[in-house]
Amino acid sequence: MQGIPDLKNISFEDFKTEVINDYKIAVRSRECSLLGRREVLTGKAKFGIFGDGKEIPQLAMAKAFKKGDWRSGYYRDQTFMMALGELSVEQFFSGLYANTDIKLEPMSAGRQMGGHFVTHSLDENGNWKDLTKQYNSSADISCTAGQMPRLLGLAQASKVFREIPDIKPTNFSINGNEVAWGTIGNASTSEGLFFETINAAGVLQVPMVISIWDDEYGISVHAKHQTTKEDISEILKGFQRDKDSKGYEILRVKGWDYANLVETFQEAGEIAREEHVPILIHVLELTQPQGHSTSGSHERYKSGDRLDWERQHDCNIKMREWIIESGISTNEELIEFERIIKREVREAKKNAWNKFLRPIIKIKTDLISLLTQLESKSANGVFISKLKESLISVDEPTKKDILSHARKALRYTIGENSNEKEKLANWIDAMFEETQPKFSSHLFSETALSNTRIKEIKPTYNEDAQLVDGRIILRDNFDAIFNNYPEAMVFGEDTGTIGDVNQGLEGLQAKYGELRIADTGIRESTIIGQGIGMALRGLRPIAEIQYLDYILYAMPTISDDLATTHYRTKGKQKAPLIIRTRGHRLEGIWHSGSQMGGILGLTRGINLLVPRNMTKAAGFYNTLLQGDDPAIVVECLNGYRLKEKMPNNLGNLKTPIGVVETVKKGTDITLVSYGSTLRLVEKSAKELLSVGIDAEVIDVQSLLPFDLNHDIVKSIEKTNRVMIIDEDVPGGASAYILDEVINKQKAFEYLDSQPKTLTAKAHRPAYGDDGDYFSKPSTEDIFEAVYAVMHEVNPSEYPKLR
């Protein structure tokens, strides 16, 4: 029989009450899992992944979790959320049905499948709530181990709040006492993100407790195929701290042993909270009663003996046995509790479904009325009537079903004019206007703190302003930032001691300390994870990726987590992380920044900024620190030693986001580019003047978002020609820019010549100057491409060049 937890400070009667309440939560959660699977099989829900078999350790974790703490978890933690009072049964089923009403489905407003949990850090106006007075869960993602990098940052924030006295974290922390709790399935520990995070947390010594739910399988694959020695804590023994070296406290506990689970999690929480060290809890002998998910049955891959063992060691059953053996309750009493809970869950499920379906039925009724009116007026009334009857026959429609019928009905009225037709067309438009934002809003901040709402402040100069290396402008601007924002910090490879590889942070670590200007290991994903976690907790981190090409190592974390944080919480969490990197044109495959199109496709939800010089870059950093949205700033790798005038308003100048700049006016053709290539375009434009071609040159500056004022089309309206010059591979950023200009800005209305793109070759550049010259557009390439356009326009004035 299991032991009973320490009863100091609590009477035995109170203890019994607490145990029974815990058991009720476990039963309630299990019933949700069982009914949830049935809802998927009946078609009411699309997919289900549930926390059955993990209930008891999650109850123990909830007991050690305090207000102000943070969770970065696994999509099976429903019992934990229920134990904290952050997830009701109705909300559980509303998530399963993908209800888009965030008041009914507060976990994601239907944007994520069930089992993905979050708490709200922001109020209705996008302002921070007091996070020290609530339980906090960062928004889950499905990507296995994807929660790990963020967990590191959530834990590091506590260290920052405790050790940097200048920060006044009134609603973010109480002396850094908060613990970050992570959960992960045993199979997901095979992911590189897990090992990267484990190593980084051991180095940083942050208050993190990571629980591994171990049921020996990863979908159908046994641990023998997943983990060396089939035991993750066994192979992590080298991380165990001792009296001579820092590391982890590693604990092991059986997942069905309620009493020891409670004791283990309490111990872990106390050590992490007081000593600020990472803890690993390996929770063994867990089960998965319904298999991995609703997409398959575990009877296909588990042996009969294993299934028998799982039935006997089901954590809820084992807790039930212990309760009876310990005299805490009787079998009869438990049966009565279980019966009542099952009835309550069924009722809550029914309520959630009715609340989901009721507004859709109202929409269906409204459309049927419109179709009834339309069929009597249309020459194709018989066909419209059939569509109406088809819709009537759908008892539990989706909005898709309803709109599909409406749009098909409208087709039958082509060439007709009637009030009824106009009503239907207006109804369809109104439906899209009302419904589309439920699926598409909050990709970026929609408050006054949106980055695009921060006003430009141009650089100003003294009359005797010096010409300095671009890096000096960056360095001095960063100095102003860290002086003005005590909550700002920067970290990355070679960022601290040497002040980054290009000296843009020279001397700042000595001035602001090793926590604020920090070196990290070579581990791109967890550098980003540090930034995400700290940004979620109100800090203003700048995560440095040494070169743009290396951002690919961090792209899963950037794309899956950072880019979707605001969207997948429907504006209830924000992570305004700034990612600083450098790239564009230089020698060699790995330092040439040729993957812009890929980054554009993977980072919607993040500003992608491409300043042409360091003054522009400095202005972007100042703008971003005033706003709410995350961003990637790509500094020009070959621009740190180029001379620029030193502004006298560093720290205050701001480069606007989503705004292009016309750097040279012209009348014959509009040339659009960005970053280092922009300098080549400017040079070519001057050379083109010698043959009578006056080109207008526009610097994109901001790829995401892009030219919000539509200034490029205004230029094309004047020149009637456009060419996009891009260092990326064909079909990359140039295709994106052209789509924005032609399709969104409708520049085709003003074009007298075919729109052109001039890009790099379909490979990355080889090493050396010749590698760049033969791989990416040169000034000669630009000159000749523009000349060819003008030759086509007027062959007599511009004879063939070659």
Side-chain angles (χ1 to χ4, degrees):
M1 185 176 73
Q2 302 173 57
I4 295 177
D6 186 358
L7 297 181
K8 62 184 178 183
N9 301 323
I10 186 172
S11 69
F12 187 65
E13 286 303 313
D14 288 341
F15 170 68
K16 287 201 302 183
T17 300
E18 186 172 344
V19 170
I20 293 300
N21 285 337
D22 280 352
Y23 180 68
K24 288 179 178 178
I25 294 169
V27 172
R28 186 175 296 114
S29 178
R30 177 64 61 86
E31 192 64 19
C32 285
S33 297
L34 296 173
L35 289 184
R37 182 180 180 86
R38 292 178 198 169
E39 291 300 273
V40 174
L41 297 179
T42 62
K44 287 184 177 179
K46 298 294 290 184
F47 181 76
I49 193 159
F50 306 111
D52 47 304
K54 316 295 187 294
E55 291 90 350
I56 307 308
Q58 290 180 29
L59 290 169
M61 187 171 84
K63 287 182 175 302
F65 196 93
K66 298 182 182 297
K67 288 186 176 179
D69 284 358
W70 279 83
R71 166 188 169 274
S72 182
Y74 180 41
Y75 43 64
R76 299 191 188 277
D77 292 346
Q78 70 197 46
T79 310
F80 172 80
M81 296 296 287
M82 289 177 175
L84 292 181
E86 297 294 335
L87 176 69
S88 71
V89 176
E90 268 197 36
Q91 290 168 348
F92 172 89
F93 284 103
S94 291
L96 198 63
Y97 302 140
N99 196 316
T100 57
D101 186 339
I102 198 165
K103 293 179 181 177
L104 299 175
E105 203 286 90
M107 298 301 135
S108 75
R111 296 181 178 193
Q112 297 206 90
M113 63 185 179
H116 293 68
F117 307 113
V118 71
T119 53
H120 295 181
S121 301
L122 308 177
D123 63 20
E124 294 301 319
N125 299 314
N127 299 313
W128 290 105
K129 299 166 69 176
D130 189 339
L131 305 185
T132 67
K133 294 181 179 179
Q134 66 178 45
Y135 300 116
N136 300 291
S137 175
S138 58
D140 292 342
I141 56 177
S142 296
C143 317
T144 53
Q147 72 272 30
M148 291 296 295
R150 178 198 335 136
L151 172 64
L152 177 68
L154 291 170
Q156 188 182 4
S158 290
K159 183 173 184 174
V160 169
F161 284 128
R162 181 172 288 186
E163 297 186 19
I164 299 180
D166 292 339
I167 300 176
K168 308 299 181 188
T170 53
N171 56 338
F172 299 116
S173 178
I174 299 175
N175 195 36
N177 292 333
E178 302 79 20
V179 173
W181 301 78
T183 62
I184 191 169
N186 59 296
S188 295
T189 63
S190 299
E191 293 275 14
L193 294 178
F194 173 81
F195 282 96
E196 191 174 315
T197 303
I198 289 293
N199 181 59
V203 171
L204 291 172
Q205 289 291 285
V206 292
M208 178 181 100
V209 179
I210 176 69
S211 300
I212 301 169
W213 306 145
D214 192 344
D215 57 28
E216 292 193 19
Y217 284 84
I219 306 183
S220 66
V221 180
H222 190 267
K224 65 185 178 183
H225 302 297
Q226 304 270 6
T227 309
T228 303
K229 299 184 179 182
E230 300 182 31
D231 191 327
I232 188 63
S233 59
E234 177 67 22
I235 65 173
L236 291 176
K237 277 184 176 179
F239 285 87
Q240 175 68 54
R241 65 178 183 157
D242 55 40
K243 61 183 178 62
D244 298 318
S245 57
K246 296 178 180 179
Y248 275 74
E249 193 64 41
I250 299 178
L251 308 172
R252 292 164 63 96
V253 62
K254 290 180 172 59
W256 47 263
D257 188 342
Y258 172 80
N260 284 324
L261 282 163
V262 171
E263 183 178 351
T264 299
F265 276 91
Q266 291 288 345
E267 178 187 1
E270 289 171 6
I271 293 172
R273 204 176 304 280
E274 294 171 10
E275 300 181 38
H276 267 208
V277 297
I279 317 286
L280 187 143
I281 305 176
H282 190 183
V283 184
L284 299 145
E285 297 189 14
L286 287 169
T287 67
Q288 208 149 263
Q290 298 186 111
H292 173 264
S293 68
T294 54
S295 63
S297 169
H298 62 157
E299 285 82 4
R300 292 183 298 160
Y301 53 84
K302 289 178 182 175
S303 68
D305 288 344
R306 173 67 191 187
L307 292 169
D308 286 341
W309 182 90
E310 289 200 8
R311 282 187 283 270
Q312 294 168 17
H313 288 79
D314 184 299
C315 62
N316 284 16
I317 292 174
K318 296 291 281 185
M319 183 178 182
R320 193 182 196 280
E321 292 171 354
W322 174 73
I323 288 172
I324 295 171
E325 291 171 1
S326 303
I328 294 172
S329 188
T330 66
N331 181 53
E332 291 72 24
E333 289 173 335
L334 295 180
I335 289 173
E336 180 62 18
F337 291 148
E338 291 157 359
R339 185 184 64 79
I340 293 170
I341 289 169
K342 288 181 179 181
R343 186 174 66 240
E344 290 173 347
V345 172
R346 286 195 299 271
E347 188 64 26
K349 173 184 73 69
K350 180 181 176 182
N351 290 340
W353 178 250
N354 287 337
K355 289 177 182 178
F356 170 72
L357 194 60
R358 193 176 298 125
I360 300 176
I361 295 296
K362 171 65 167 59
I363 296 169
K364 172 187 169 181
T365 302
D366 291 344
L367 177 58
I368 289 170
S369 175
L370 289 173
L371 294 180
T372 300
Q373 298 172 44
L374 183 63
E375 65 182 350
S376 64
K377 298 292 184 179
S378 173
N380 289 314
V382 63
F383 299 107
I384 295 170
S385 179
K386 287 181 179 179
L387 274 173
K388 183 183 75 172
E389 293 304 317
S390 171
L391 180 60
I392 291 171
S393 69
V394 182
D395 293 329
E396 296 176 341
T398 63
K399 291 178 182 177
K400 168 192 169 184
D401 293 329
I402 297 168
L403 267 169
S404 177
H405 280 78
R407 296 167 81 181
K408 287 177 180 177
L410 193 62
R411 294 178 196 171
Y412 287 119
T413 66
I414 292 173
E416 297 179 357
N417 291 300
S418 68
N419 289 334
E420 289 74 15
K421 174 186 176 179
E422 187 176 353
K423 283 182 182 179
L424 178 61
N426 290 340
W427 184 89
I428 292 171
D429 289 342
M431 270 293 294
F432 271 108
E433 186 176 351
E434 177 188 353
T435 306
Q436 188 66 54
K438 297 179 187 297
F439 300 92
S440 304
S441 69
H442 293 91
L443 187 60
F444 294 99
S445 172
E446 298 182 1
T447 73
L449 292 177
S450 165
N451 289 352
T452 59
R453 298 188 183 186
I454 308 303
K455 300 298 183 184
E456 179 180 18
I457 298 178
K458 293 182 181 295
T460 55
Y461 301 93
N462 296 330
E463 287 186 10
D464 58 349
Q466 286 185 303
L467 285 173
V468 299
D469 289 349
R471 73 171 188 90
I472 301 298
I473 293 172
L474 270 181
R475 183 198 65 188
D476 291 359
N477 192 75
F478 277 128
D479 190 9
I481 284 173
F482 296 126
N483 184 62
N484 294 334
Y485 296 88
E487 68 275 20
M489 60 206 65
V490 62
F491 43 89
E493 300 158 16
D494 298 302
T495 296
T497 302
I498 68 170
D500 87 43
V501 291
N502 297 101
Q503 301 286 279
L505 297 164
E506 179 189 25
L508 297 186
Q509 186 181 78
K511 185 172 183 179
Y512 295 103
E514 293 185 7
L515 255 184
R516 293 189 66 194
I517 318 294
D519 285 312
T520 70
I522 299 176
R523 46 175 182 79
E524 284 78 11
S525 280
T526 45
I527 289 172
I528 299 301
Q530 286 176 252
I532 296 172
M534 287 194 280
L536 284 167
R537 295 192 60 186
L539 296 169
R540 294 311 306 254
I542 302 171
E544 182 171 310
I545 301 298
Q546 194 169 82
Y547 297 108
L548 178 64
D549 304 78
Y550 300 164
I551 210 169
L552 298 182
Y553 289 90
M555 193 50 71
T557 301
I558 294 171
S559 180
D560 297 335
D561 199 352
L562 180 62
T564 65
T565 294
H566 202 59
Y567 168 79
R568 72 181 190 271
T569 64
K570 202 175 182 182
K572 295 305 181 182
Q573 286 190 349
K574 63 182 177 181
L577 167 64
I578 300 170
I579 300 172
R580 179 192 181 211
T581 189
R582 51 194 66 81
H584 302 315
R585 307 179 67 130
L586 202 69
E587 293 80 11
I589 293 174
W590 311 120
H591 296 86
S592 55
S594 302
Q595 61 276 38
M596 296 301 292
I599 296 170
L600 279 165
L602 291 168
T603 57
R604 303 305 169 97
I606 300 174
N607 294 158
L608 180 55
L609 310 176
V610 283
R612 69 179 182 272
N613 59 38
M614 301 310 161
T615 302
K616 289 289 183 179
F620 274 138
Y621 291 119
N622 298 336
T623 299
L624 292 169
L625 284 164
Q626 294 285 304
D628 260 359
D629 295 308
I632 299 170
V633 181
V634 186
E635 298 167 8
C636 293
L637 187 51
N638 55 10
Y640 294 105
R641 303 291 173 178
L642 296 181
K643 300 299 183 181
E644 300 180 36
K645 284 175 63 176
M646 173 64 85
N648 60 18
N649 61 339
L650 291 178
N652 293 316
L653 65 93
K654 295 183 178 66
T655 308
I657 291 173
V659 178
V660 304
E661 181 179 356
T662 301
V663 297
K664 177 191 174 302
K665 291 189 177 296
T667 56
D668 294 326
I669 188 170
T670 300
L671 305 182
V672 180
S673 192
Y674 62 88
S676 295
T677 302
L678 195 282
R679 289 197 292 272
L680 303 187
V681 175
E682 286 185 280
K683 182 179 178 183
S684 298
K686 291 178 182 178
E687 295 174 353
L688 285 163
L689 287 171
S690 67
V691 292
I693 299 172
D694 188 11
E696 184 145 300
V697 178
I698 294 180
D699 181 7
V700 167
Q701 299 196 108
S702 169
L703 285 166
L704 289 174
F706 182 87
D707 190 11
L708 298 176
N709 298 327
H710 289 191
D711 289 326
I712 293 176
V713 74
K714 295 171 189 173
S715 171
I716 295 170
E717 187 175 0
K718 175 177 61 175
T719 66
N720 307 120
R721 280 168 281 279
V722 65
M723 180 179 292
I724 314 298
I725 301 99
D726 181 27
E727 64 172 302
D728 199 7
V729 295
S734 60
Y736 163 80
I737 294 170
L738 196 60
D739 175 68
E740 289 280 336
V741 172
I742 300 300
N743 291 326
K744 291 190 179 177
Q745 299 188 10
K746 303 187 186 308
F748 59 84
E749 296 179 13
Y750 307 108
L751 288 171
D752 292 338
S753 298
Q754 176 186 346
K756 295 283 188 176
T757 61
L758 178 62
T759 71
K761 299 297 185 288
H763 55 77
R764 298 190 190 184
Y767 179 65
D769 289 342
D770 282 347
D772 179 85
Y773 188 82
F774 287 97
S775 301
K776 295 192 175 186
S778 65
T779 53
E780 291 77 23
D781 292 331
I782 299 166
F783 182 100
E784 291 175 7
V786 174
Y787 188 90
V789 171
M790 300 308 294
H791 165 72
E792 183 181 309
V793 172
N794 191 338
S796 60
E797 186 172 350
Y798 305 102
K800 186 174 181 180
L801 185 59
R802 68 178 174 90

